[in-house]
Amino acid sequence: MSHTQAWCWHAPGEPGQLTLTRQALPVPGANDVLIANRVIALNPVDWKLIEHGHPQWQPGHVPGVDGMGTIMALGANVSHLRLGARVAYHTDLRHGGSFAHHSCVPARALLPVPDALSDEAAAALPCPGLTAWQALARLPRLHGEALLITGAGSNVGRFAVQLALRQGARVFASASHRHHGWLRQLGVQGVADYREHDWLAQLQAANGGEPFEGIIDLVSSQQAETLLPALGYYGHMVTVLGRIASNPQPPFSHCHSLHEIALGAQHTFGTDRQWSRLVAAGVAMMAQMASGELGLPPLVIGDFEALPTLLDRFKREGQGEKFLVRVA
């Protein structure tokens, strides 16, 4: 095999402007592997970058950050992996991505997939699951503590809620009403619809009027800043979409800690040791998924030839489902 097929980006715009292109089969660099993709996962960062572009993207770039498949070729420096192994990945968005039959991925970013886990479930994990793990890792105390998660109906939110509950946190969540049933079933102590004007007051009341030890905001940096008064002394604010540029609280008062999450930045700035910890976390989550301890959102699955249509549907209609594309 000397060629592959890939969906290519040419200029900022809509998913429908991607073009299906026949390309030479990519050759892995010394520290990379070549993956024959089986399932591609769609994430909000995909349509956002297609819409706005990226400073390092040139016409013909292949988007996509998440996927799973089998290892087809190893780079010269890769000795800890074997050909044919099933792996999932979150790849470097600066380089060729997952919207293709074949992708080159940094070897240190690969997550071995257990035999008991389906291709679809494995592909659904990396971006939202690893982002949720990073967010919770910012919090020094969880067991018995009150944690507020906003945007809990999202894919990241679903993983964050489950991981926090497994660590013994008392979780409170904001989400649209359609998500309240499963959130309560999981054991979330207080749930409110963010469209109600007093949603935060409802959750504070559910927490006995006490402040929260931590807040993971999955909505916007602007919302996160408005939530700071709901944090207690020495509380922690974790933002995933944007960052709070500076702490508006006066110094030597509440002593809030502000944390930002940027999973993609780990490709640029993360060390091998940090990648090892992240991969270990992903492997543990896959084991929990295979055993049924960690649940997935509803899956929406389409074919590779319809990828732009599915991505556009995800952008316009997604309500917490996980959108996947089968390659083979």
Side-chain angles (χ1 to χ4, degrees):
M1 181 185 295
S2 59
H3 289 83
T4 190
Q5 283 190 307
W7 286 101
C8 294
W9 175 93
H10 301 281
E14 295 296 325
Q17 295 173 243
L18 298 176
T19 61
L20 187 57
T21 307
R22 188 171 184 263
Q23 297 183 338
L25 193 68
V27 177
N31 298 308
D32 300 333
V33 299
L34 178 64
I35 304 296
N37 289 318
R38 296 170 68 165
V39 180
I40 298 163
L42 306 182
N43 295 286
V45 67
D46 296 324
W47 61 258
K48 290 176 182 179
L49 285 171
I50 288 168
E51 180 177 339
H52 300 291
H54 185 277
Q56 296 192 32
W57 285 15
Q58 298 296 321
H61 180 86
V62 179
V65 295
D66 274 8
M68 77 76 56
T70 56
I71 297 177
M72 188 173 177
L74 304 173
N77 295 339
V78 181
S79 59
H80 66 291
L81 299 167
R82 60 177 177 82
L83 296 176
R86 295 168 68 233
V87 291
Y89 62 85
H90 176 85
T91 195
D92 191 338
L93 58 80
R94 297 171 299 172
H95 307 306
S98 62
F99 288 6
H101 280 211
H102 301 85
S103 302
C104 284
V105 180
R108 66 181 185 175
L110 296 180
L111 305 173
V113 178
D115 292 340
L117 195 64
S118 70
D119 292 349
E120 291 77 13
L125 172 71
C127 187
L130 298 179
T131 297
W133 181 86
Q134 284 190 330
L136 288 165
R138 290 292 198 177
L139 303 173
R141 297 177 300 277
L142 277 172
H143 187 81
E145 301 292 349
L147 172 64
L148 170 61
I149 300 177
T150 66
S154 65
N155 288 177
V156 176
R158 185 179 288 260
F159 279 111
V161 165
Q162 293 180 86
L163 293 174
L165 288 170
R166 287 183 60 81
Q167 295 183 55
R170 297 186 296 111
V171 178
F172 302 81
S174 72
S176 63
H177 187 75
R178 68 195 300 268
H179 298 295
H180 289 192
W182 65 261
L183 284 166
R184 290 194 177 99
Q185 188 174 16
L186 285 174
V188 174
Q189 293 190 17
V191 185
D193 192 322
Y194 62 89
R195 288 168 292 197
E196 298 179 3
H197 73 279
D198 63 341
W199 67 268
L200 181 57
Q202 292 179 41
L203 296 178
Q204 289 176 308
N207 190 35
E210 295 293 320
F212 298 103
E213 169 70 18
I215 298 176
I216 297 176
D217 184 80
L218 303 175
V219 177
S220 70
S221 57
Q222 293 78 18
Q223 173 173 280
E225 187 166 340
T226 68
L227 297 178
L228 284 173
L231 273 180
Y233 173 68
Y234 257 55
H236 294 262
M237 170 64 72
V238 184
T239 56
V240 175
L241 298 178
R243 62 183 297 190
I244 300 175
S246 60
N247 195 333
Q249 300 284 3
F252 305 108
S253 59
H254 290 85
C255 299
H256 291 160
S257 296
L258 307 181
H259 309 278
E260 60 178 308
I261 303 301
L263 177 61
Q266 181 149 328
H267 288 282
T268 305
F269 302 105
T271 64
D272 287 344
R273 185 177 181 185
Q274 288 171 319
W275 270 107
S276 180
R277 286 199 295 265
L278 188 65
V279 166
V283 169
M285 281 188 278
M286 283 195 181
Q288 293 162 3
M289 292 163 67
S291 67
E293 299 170 79
L294 197 59
L296 285 172
L299 303 182
V300 178
I301 303 173
D303 296 325
F304 183 77
E305 291 72 18
L307 187 152
T309 301
L310 197 67
L311 183 58
D312 183 71
R313 180 183 166 193
F314 172 42
K315 174 183 176 181
R316 302 183 188 283
E317 303 175 13
Q319 294 290 331
E321 305 88 352
K322 186 62 182 180
F323 284 71
L324 303 172
V325 173
R326 282 200 187 101
V327 180

